[in-house]
Amino acid sequence: MSVEKRSDGLNHTDTKTFTDMQNIKERGTDVREDDVAHVLEQNSADVVGNSHGVFVEPCNNQTTTFRKSQCSLRGCVIIVAGCLIHLTLGTLYSYGNFSPYIISYIRRRSSPSDLRYVDGIWIQACMMIGQGITMFAGGLLERKLGPRITTLIGSWTMSLGVMLSYFAVKSSYIATVFTYGVMFGMGTGIAYPIPLGCAMKWLPNWRGLVSGSIIAGFGAGALVFNQVITAYVNPENYSPDDTGDGDNYFSQDVVLDRVPYCFLVLGGTYAVIQLFSCLLLVDPPEEAQAEVEVKSYKTADEMCNINEGFSGDVEMTKSTPETAVVQNKDNDGTGADVPPQKVLKSKNFYLLWLIFLFGGEGIVFVSSQYKKYGQTFISDDHFLAIVGSVSSVFNAGGSIFWGFMMDRFSFKIAARCIYIAFACLIASFLGCEYTDRAMFFAWVCLIFFAFSGVFSIMPPAIARMYGNTYVGVNFGLLFTSQIITGATSAFLGQILKDSIGWHGLFFLSTGFTAAGFIVIFFLETKTTSGDGF
């Protein structure tokens, strides 16, 4: 939070407005939208037209209503475009289904010949690491090049990495890690936050639902492309028949021959979808942003800068003698938005960073290893592919559901539900091997439904706390947690698999998720009702 009170150039209206805000604070009540509007109506003859007043929603005339309808319609178009882009980026979750074919191919046709499934986790880990490295840069590029060009650069970098894997998988595992892991992740990191920020600027009152709807595309990527991968590589439904190193691998030539060409099919398909979707991305004009209805969650104490702790959600500035602006956290105006250098001074940012870190540990491991775990007691490859596809439906639906929950209640309530559900499901996942395949099917779907919320509530949380203008950059800073997540998940999975087995790894993931649940309670931002934001 930044509040700037300057005496030079303040007219009577500005001084009285600030004084009235202080009076509200002294009464011990919260500042609501009604309070702000009432103060401004008393102290300014024309709030919207007066450059010395406070920006609030303009009067509800036919022109404003028409423009809001246009914003809503265009916002829906942006959501569809963002969903399609994320559909391709979300094929990150297809790795769990694709990896048995890739690892089997490398063992038989490339190097090293003793590669194990647990070693293959580094591909998905590098996807996450690449995202964490470049997402911040994607936000910076978007401010220079705009959403359309930036998203296309990132998307096509990802698609190029997939197509180059045609050559890499024939060369070595290390080369495949670079193309299908690092390049995929770096491209995804650049493109990932841009459609989210763009859509939230058009529809700022529904940030959670907007974020969840777009990220639903990310979750649904595996729904479509798991079936494409399995239908292309293994249409005959062969089961793994090589039991080397205690795991089951494919050795059938008819299956392995198709693996390199599958990369070309996938990469080319992604690139076409991304091109047409990126053409629809555009930020709203400034006049449209000014007319979108916004909400306030801040207390009078925060409005008057009584607290010295930095929140970053609201800013009251008097930047020039001619202009005084009070803007709340949901306004997209630059006066209310917090740049990265100030975000790094916020305690809440580091708490969110830790929450994201602990949640990501379990997500990377489960999403990349569920099929390998299932193969230890299920021998039907088509069934496992169907499980992956249906779980993507739950992933997509969960993103929308948890985004709505955040809008309807609060971030803290949604996050608590997500993390406790995720922890309980991982801990009980081990029971699947002692029952039939129906439990495995149900638990994978429920796990994907739960952890989808981690990704759907983080972007709107950043936007609520620090504004829309820098949302791509600020979310990129938050996503650096996934650099550690990817590396530690792969390292622990590779090192500890032989010593603690599947049971130990799942309990370790449960512990990380439980730690994230505990950190949620330390977030301090409050709403007008007194609950967490």
Side-chain angles (χ1 to χ4, degrees):
M1 181 181 66
S2 174
V3 176
E4 214 176 300
K5 182 180 177 184
R6 294 176 51 178
S7 59
D8 53 313
L10 285 175
N11 61 22
H12 173 73
T13 301
D14 299 325
T15 305
K16 190 172 186 303
T17 298
F18 188 82
T19 302
D20 288 345
M21 288 298 183
Q22 288 180 315
N23 292 336
I24 294 173
K25 184 265 170 186
E26 290 171 359
R27 296 200 305 266
T29 60
D30 291 342
V31 175
R32 301 177 183 270
E33 188 75 16
D34 295 340
D35 297 326
V36 177
H38 179 67
V39 169
L40 295 171
E41 287 172 1
Q42 289 182 327
N43 299 333
S44 176
D46 184 4
V47 173
V48 177
N50 185 356
S51 63
H52 300 287
V54 181
F55 288 99
V56 294
E57 184 184 356
C59 58
N60 186 20
N61 54 42
Q62 291 183 348
T63 302
T64 300
T65 303
F66 176 72
R67 289 178 179 174
K68 285 183 180 180
S69 299
Q70 285 184 317
C71 288
S72 298
L73 179 60
R74 190 56 185 270
C76 292
V77 173
I78 301 297
I79 289 175
V80 172
C83 190
L84 289 173
I85 293 166
H86 274 242
L87 184 76
T88 62
L89 304 180
T91 53
L92 175 150
Y93 291 126
S94 293
Y95 177 72
N97 181 64
F98 202 6
S99 62
Y101 306 125
I102 297 174
I103 302 302
S104 298
Y105 181 92
I106 292 174
R107 285 173 61 92
R108 304 282 293 192
R109 306 282 183 85
S110 184
S111 65
S113 59
D114 59 348
L115 187 68
R116 301 175 302 164
Y117 285 138
V118 70
D119 301 322
I121 195 176
W122 279 104
I123 292 179
Q124 186 161 11
C126 286
M127 291 178 179
M128 301 299 293
I129 293 170
Q131 286 186 70
I133 291 173
T134 60
M135 197 171 289
F136 177 79
L140 295 176
L141 279 176
E142 190 269 341
R143 293 182 59 79
K144 298 289 185 181
L145 303 177
R148 186 177 297 160
I149 300 299
T150 304
T151 306
L152 190 60
I153 290 173
S155 298
W156 276 6
T157 300
M158 169 264 192
S159 297
L160 179 62
V162 175
M163 288 188 283
L164 288 178
S165 297
Y166 169 84
F167 303 100
V169 76
K170 296 179 179 182
S171 174
S172 68
Y173 172 63
I174 298 299
T176 307
V177 169
F178 178 76
T179 57
Y180 199 49
V182 177
M183 284 188 66
F184 188 112
M186 293 180 72
T188 299
I190 293 172
Y192 186 100
I194 311 305
L196 294 169
C198 185
M200 284 190 285
K201 291 175 184 177
W202 285 96
L203 300 169
N205 284 349
W206 297 97
R207 284 170 171 160
L209 187 59
V210 166
S211 175
S213 298
I214 292 177
I215 295 177
F218 197 90
L223 167 66
V224 177
F225 290 100
N226 273 359
Q227 296 304 309
V228 172
I229 292 168
T230 301
Y232 185 87
V233 177
N234 189 16
E236 298 89 357
N237 195 24
Y238 288 111
S239 296
D241 60 348
D242 181 358
T243 58
D245 297 327
D247 290 319
N248 300 319
Y249 303 95
F250 292 94
S251 65
Q252 299 89 343
D253 289 337
V254 67
V255 173
L256 301 181
D257 288 343
R258 302 184 183 117
V259 172
Y261 294 97
C262 189
F263 286 111
L264 296 179
V265 172
L266 293 175
T269 304
Y270 300 159
V272 173
I273 295 173
Q274 291 159 354
L275 173 62
F276 288 102
S277 300
C278 287
L279 294 176
L280 299 175
L281 295 181
V282 62
D283 282 334
E286 293 183 4
E287 60 269 19
Q289 297 181 45
E291 292 177 351
V292 177
E293 180 183 4
V294 293
K295 301 175 184 178
S296 177
Y297 291 90
K298 304 312 295 180
T299 63
D301 184 64
E302 291 166 319
M303 291 289 290
C304 298
N305 198 29
I306 301 301
N307 288 337
E308 295 184 2
F310 176 75
S311 169
D313 297 335
V314 172
E315 187 168 306
M316 178 184 294
T317 63
K318 173 73 178 176
S319 58
T320 67
E322 291 78 18
T323 306
V325 180
V326 177
Q327 293 176 316
N328 63 43
K329 73 172 182 63
D330 280 331
N331 196 340
D332 186 48
T334 56
D337 292 286
V338 184
Q341 58 268 29
K342 291 187 177 180
V343 168
L344 293 174
K345 299 177 182 178
S346 168
K347 176 183 176 181
N348 270 351
F349 171 78
Y350 293 101
L351 292 173
L352 281 176
W353 194 90
L354 286 174
I355 294 168
F356 205 11
L357 171 70
F358 289 132
E361 294 286 353
I363 292 171
V364 171
F365 178 75
V366 174
S367 63
S368 64
Q369 299 295 311
Y370 76 90
K371 186 173 182 178
K372 273 79 76 177
Y373 172 64
Q375 285 177 334
T376 61
F377 54 92
I378 298 174
S379 59
D380 189 341
D381 191 58
H382 275 194
F383 172 78
L384 293 173
I386 292 172
V387 170
S389 295
V390 176
S391 67
S392 299
V393 177
F394 280 80
N395 193 349
S399 296
I400 298 173
F401 173 79
W402 295 117
F404 172 78
M405 289 289 288
M406 179 178 174
D407 284 334
R408 178 63 180 84
F409 298 102
S410 70
F411 171 86
K412 292 179 75 172
I413 290 176
R416 289 168 188 166
C417 294
I418 291 166
Y419 276 73
I420 194 65
F422 189 31
C424 292
L425 287 167
I426 298 175
S428 57
F429 192 37
L430 299 169
C432 296
E433 61 187 86
Y434 304 109
T435 60
D436 58 14
R437 60 174 63 184
M439 180 178 176
F440 177 81
F441 187 105
W443 248 243
V444 172
C445 291
L446 291 174
I447 286 173
F448 273 72
F449 181 86
F451 78 58
S452 65
V454 176
F455 290 99
S456 69
I457 66 175
M458 289 299 175
I462 288 292
R464 281 188 178 185
M465 295 174 67
Y466 308 116
N468 276 342
T469 298
Y470 300 96
V471 66
V473 182
N474 292 337
F475 184 64
L477 288 175
L478 183 69
F479 212 90
T480 57
S481 62
Q482 301 308 295
I483 299 175
I484 299 176
T485 292
T488 55
S489 295
F491 179 77
L492 293 176
Q494 188 176 33
I495 298 300
L496 300 179
K497 170 65 166 57
D498 294 333
S499 57
I500 65 177
W502 288 109
H503 289 208
L505 291 175
F506 282 124
F507 281 124
L508 185 63
S509 298
T510 301
F512 281 123
T513 307
F517 175 76
I518 294 172
V519 177
I520 294 169
F521 288 88
F522 292 91
L523 287 172
E524 296 180 347
T525 304
K526 301 292 183 180
T527 67
T528 53
S529 63
D531 198 2
F533 77 99

